Amino acid sequence: MAISTTSAPITYATRVDKVGARYQFTRALRIAVVVLYAVISLIPVFWMVTAAFKSRPDVVAIPPKVFFEPTIEGFISLLTKRVLLPPGMMEEYKQRPDLNFAERIMAERGQRITGPSQYGQRLINSVIVASASTVLSVLLGVLAAYAFSRFHVPGKGDLLFFILSTRMLPPVVVTIPIFLMYQQLRLYDTHLGLILLYTVFNLSFAVWLLKGFIDEIPREYEEAALVDGYSRLQAFRKVVLPQAITGIAATFVFCLIFAWNEYAFALMLTSERARTAPPSIPTVLGTGGIEWSAIAAGTLGFLFPVIIVTFALRDYLLRGVTFGALRK
């Protein structure tokens, strides 16, 4: 009998101890648990995204509607100021030919747009405060972490513990003293005041995280650069910084997320000019009741920038979580 010499190409290889039924069952169970956890965790995000595109009756419907006719009422409500139309003027207002798309949508709800809201400006305030404080925190944190990692600092352990202990302090404990101090220094309701405060609170985290990364960069690299004639500053800039770029990026993301989401200080230390988006979103009360679709739209718009930055630097985040940056 002739024996066929043709066979299917081998496209999968694994260890012998991973082909048993018990291992495969355990693996499938772990995957199922992870998927279930991910689905449960994403339910609030799903509700927020769908609520942003629901009309006012749909967003408060009981039981909640999964299938609905999408609308941008929430976004228009978020970005505009409106007044209720008197019943006698409603039909006349709807017939006006000069109404734009947004005005026609709100006219169907019996409302007239009177101007833009402050959400856009407060989102810009969040961008300014979060980006400036994050850059300052990472810049100062790199320099401090390098000094703690490479030089003999008297009382280094106590200093590092003191820096870390500032991170353990609940922000609300110092809110009132900082409020009084900012009133005297005229930093209340200013971008500079929030930038300085967020920089100080992020700096301890940046120093501790970056020191771990710089500690893992072999000193021999710098010593070789010094032997080749580099100054200390040149060795730091051309040898240490490129090696620590993973840790710097991870630290940048974590500091940005803290500054972007911070609520208590932004609520207590600002009122109008420098108020950021987090404390302003829950105040979207609307006319005649809470505008849940507008709040969901504001939260969705607030979420996008940090998602973009996080995905852009996602390759560095795992190293940041595990405190590992060594690349030999």
Side-chain angles (χ1 to χ4, degrees), residues 76-316:
I76 298 175
S77 300
L78 176 70
L79 299 173
T80 60
K81 294 179 180 177
R82 290 146 287 112
V83 294
L84 287 173
L85 288 167
M89 296 179 57
M90 192 177 300
E91 292 302 324
E92 180 183 355
Y93 181 76
K94 289 180 182 178
Q95 301 303 322
R96 286 176 53 178
D98 58 337
L99 297 182
N100 58 33
F101 179 71
E103 288 173 333
R104 291 189 182 281
I105 290 179
M106 301 315 295
E108 294 299 324
R109 289 180 49 181
Q111 298 180 9
R112 181 171 63 87
I113 296 176
T114 58
S117 69
Q118 295 182 329
Y119 176 77
Q121 181 58 45
R122 288 173 178 175
L123 196 61
I124 293 174
N125 290 341
S126 288
V127 173
I128 294 172
V129 172
S131 57
S133 63
T134 300
V135 170
L136 284 174
S137 299
V138 174
L139 178 63
L140 297 175
V142 168
L143 299 176
Y146 180 74
F148 279 117
S149 177
R150 290 295 190 264
F151 300 107
H152 173 69
V153 179
K156 179 190 295 187
D158 295 333
L159 284 174
L160 285 173
F161 177 76
F162 174 75
I163 293 173
L164 183 63
S165 65
T166 61
R167 187 70 182 183
M168 301 175 185
L169 188 68
V172 69
V173 174
V174 294
T175 300
I176 299 301
I178 292 177
F179 171 78
L180 298 175
M181 183 175 65
Y182 269 35
Q183 290 276 19
Q184 295 297 320
L185 297 176
R186 297 183 180 179
L187 290 175
Y188 177 77
D189 199 21
T190 63
H191 294 91
L192 179 61
L194 282 185
I195 290 171
L196 290 175
L197 193 60
Y198 290 176
T199 301
V200 171
F201 269 83
N202 268 333
L203 187 58
S204 58
F205 175 75
V207 170
W208 268 92
L209 191 59
L210 288 169
K211 182 180 180 301
F213 282 101
I214 295 177
D215 283 343
E216 294 185 2
I217 299 174
R219 293 172 180 265
E220 289 79 5
Y221 291 178
E222 294 173 73
E223 294 171 356
L226 294 174
V227 170
D228 288 341
Y230 282 24
S231 65
R232 173 65 72 176
L233 180 60
Q234 288 174 321
F236 171 73
R237 184 166 56 88
K238 296 184 178 181
V239 176
V240 176
L241 284 184
Q243 294 290 325
I245 190 65
T246 302
I248 293 172
T251 306
F252 183 89
V253 171
F254 289 126
C255 292
L256 178 67
I257 291 174
F258 168 79
W260 186 257
N261 294 332
E262 203 285 325
Y263 184 87
F265 287 134
L267 179 65
M268 294 293 295
L269 302 178
T270 61
S271 59
E272 289 295 333
R273 287 178 301 169
R275 174 146 292 188
T276 54
S280 65
I281 291 176
T283 62
V284 184
L285 296 179
T287 55
I290 299 176
E291 297 274 7
W292 291 112
S293 56
I295 293 175
T299 308
L300 186 62
F302 183 71
L303 187 62
F304 266 114
V306 75
I307 287 180
I308 293 172
V309 174
T310 303
F311 270 83
L313 300 176
R314 64 186 182 279
D315 292 340
Y316 304 108

Side-chain angles (χ1 to χ4, degrees), residues 15-77:
R15 284 168 31 185
V16 175
D17 59 340
K18 293 185 176 180
V19 297
R22 182 175 180 180
Y23 175 82
Q24 294 295 334
F25 173 77
T26 306
R27 181 172 180 270
L29 183 62
R30 286 202 300 265
I31 293 175
V33 171
V34 171
V35 171
L36 180 62
Y37 177 76
V39 170
I40 294 174
S41 301
L42 290 174
I43 287 177
V45 180
F46 173 78
W47 182 91
M48 180 188 68
V49 174
T50 55
F53 292 95
K54 285 182 177 179
S55 63
R56 191 167 186 173
D58 288 343
V59 79
V60 296
I62 298 177
K65 288 187 177 180
V66 178
F67 302 100
F68 56 91
E69 183 178 354
T71 177
I72 59 171
E73 284 183 16
F75 292 92
I76 298 175
S77 300

